[in-house]
């Protein structure tokens, strides 16, 4: 089964304010067997305006990645992050789905 991913990019605008979100999100994601593949606060952006933050989180499947995001518990947790960051979060599936 193909894995699912959260692909997050953007900027943290208030690092001190992110504490409650970070404390809550890591144990929450552990419930989904998710693992952080990349967490970078100093992303070397070569094109575009992605921001200095990049996070890639791997899930066992696309369905699991979607379920983790859509859960009411996570939707409440987002409120801790939103005032302190500007991010783009995409849910993607492993593999080449834009084949030529």
């Amino acid at each position: 089964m193909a894995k699912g991913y959260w692909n997050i990019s953007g900027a943290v605008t208030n690092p001190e304010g992110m504490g409650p979100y970070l404390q809550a999100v890591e144990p929450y994601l552990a419930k989904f067997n998710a693992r952080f593949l990349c967490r970078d606060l100093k992303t070397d952006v070569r094109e575009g305006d992605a921001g200095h933050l990049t996070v890639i989180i791997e899930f066992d499947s696309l369905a699991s990645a979607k379920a983790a995001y859509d859960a009411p518990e996570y939707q409440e947790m987002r409120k801790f992050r939103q005032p302190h960051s500007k991010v783009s979060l995409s849910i993607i599936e492993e593999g080449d789905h834009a084949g030529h």
Side-chain angles (χ1 to χ4, degrees):
M1 179 182 305
K3 295 187 181 290
Y5 299 89
W6 285 7
N7 181 39
I8 304 157
S9 62
V12 173
T13 56
N14 177 12
E16 294 80 24
M18 290 291 290
Y21 174 77
L22 295 172
Q23 290 175 356
V25 76
E26 290 194 31
Y28 171 75
L29 291 172
K31 296 177 189 179
F32 289 86
N33 288 334
R35 72 183 190 110
F36 288 87
L37 297 182
C38 173
R39 281 192 272 192
D40 190 349
L41 285 171
K42 297 179 183 176
T43 301
D44 180 1
V45 178
R46 299 294 175 105
E47 294 187 33
D49 187 19
H52 65 268
L53 170 71
T54 301
V55 180
I56 301 172
I57 303 169
E58 180 182 73
F59 293 81
D60 292 337
S61 66
L62 180 61
S64 181
K66 289 180 177 181
Y69 184 83
D70 292 338
E73 184 179 358
Y74 184 72
Q75 293 304 305
E76 283 297 312
M77 203 176 305
R78 288 176 54 224
K79 295 176 185 177
F80 296 133
R81 174 184 48 80
Q82 289 175 325
H84 310 291
S85 66
K86 293 181 182 182
V87 302
S88 171
L89 188 153
S90 302
I91 299 175
I92 55 178
E93 184 176 39
E94 177 180 35
D96 183 357
H97 301 284
H100 306 289

